């Protein structure tokens, strides 16, 4: 199983860092290899490789920080490969479901309930890419890398959820602040 999720709850910003979350389940033999993220826009941009080890019977969530330099249709091809470079799984043409401008506020929400995310007052213009956004982030997939959090303007953190964060997640939040 190789599932890919791009952005903060499907929201990405131009000229900003955003997470690409890969959920990898290995029911077969152990795998030592890498996850590769390549631009899908006619090869423009850098390709990044992140090492990964997957013992038999494991489920891993890997959050990769990627820089989105463009507002218009940023697309990525993500693949899981073994140490020899053979593709084991691939997701092509992945993009956030919503893209907003660099100047538009984006709040990450670690709320206790699904409906607990902050709501932001919409602006008068009827432009979806100019509307402020709030992205709900589940505590289990909250990043432990402060670079991934750089695409957010603010984080709403429920005190109940904060007590359950792993040490690496809390340290990433402190480093981001």
């Amino acid at each position: 199983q190789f599932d890919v999720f791009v952005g903060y709850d499907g929201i990405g910003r131009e000229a900003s860092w955003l997470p690409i979350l890969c959920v990898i389940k290995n029911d077969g033999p152990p795998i030592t290899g890498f996850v590769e993220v390549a631009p899908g826009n006619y090869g423009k941009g850098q390709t990044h490789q992140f090492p990964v080890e997957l013992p038999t019977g494991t489920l891993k969530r890997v959050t990769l920080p990627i820089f989105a330099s463009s507002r218009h249709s940023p697309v990525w091809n993500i693949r899981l490969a073994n140490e020899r470079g053979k593709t084991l799984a691939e997701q092509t043409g992945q993009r956030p479901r919503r893209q907003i401008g660099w100047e538009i506020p984006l709040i990450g929400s670690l709320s206790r309930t699904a409906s607990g995310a902050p709501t932001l007052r919409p602006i008068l213009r009827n432009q979806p890419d100019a509307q402020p956004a709030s992205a709900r982030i589940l505590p289990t997939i909250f990043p432990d890398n402060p670079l991934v959090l750089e695409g957010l303007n603010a984080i709403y953190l429920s005190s109940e959820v904060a007590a359950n964060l792993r040490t690496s997640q809390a340290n990433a939040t402190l480093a981001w602040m």
Side-chain angles (χ1 to χ4, degrees), residues 67-137:
F67 192 77
S69 59
S70 167
R71 178 186 293 194
H72 304 288
S73 301
V75 177
W76 290 277
N77 298 326
I78 301 104
R79 72 182 186 113
L80 173 64
N82 65 14
E83 64 274 0
R84 294 182 178 154
K86 178 183 176 193
T87 301
L88 304 173
E90 188 173 29
Q91 296 280 340
T92 59
Q94 298 296 306
R95 67 180 70 206
R97 69 180 154 70
R98 180 175 171 208
Q99 189 76 14
I100 61 175
W102 64 270
E103 72 284 3
I104 306 303
L106 176 58
I107 297 174
S109 170
L110 281 148
S111 56
R112 187 176 51 82
T113 63
S115 61
T119 54
L120 302 173
R121 186 176 176 185
I123 62 171
L124 295 178
R125 297 185 306 203
N126 190 16
Q127 294 177 296
D129 64 340
Q131 297 296 329
S134 175
R136 184 162 187 269
I137 304 171

Side-chain angles (χ1 to χ4, degrees), residues 14-74:
E14 78 170 326
S16 181
W17 291 94
L18 81 152
I20 293 183
L21 172 67
C22 299
V23 179
I24 309 165
K25 185 175 182 182
N26 182 21
D27 290 331
I31 298 170
T32 300
F34 56 89
V35 174
E36 180 180 85
V37 178
N41 297 348
Y42 309 108
K44 294 180 180 176
Q46 293 182 338
T47 298
H48 303 278
Q49 292 183 347
F50 301 89
V52 66
E53 289 186 22
L54 301 163
T56 301
T58 59
L59 174 69
K60 281 200 177 179
R61 293 181 183 101
V62 180
T63 303
L64 313 170
I66 300 297
F67 192 77
S69 59
S70 167
R71 178 186 293 194
H72 304 288
S73 301

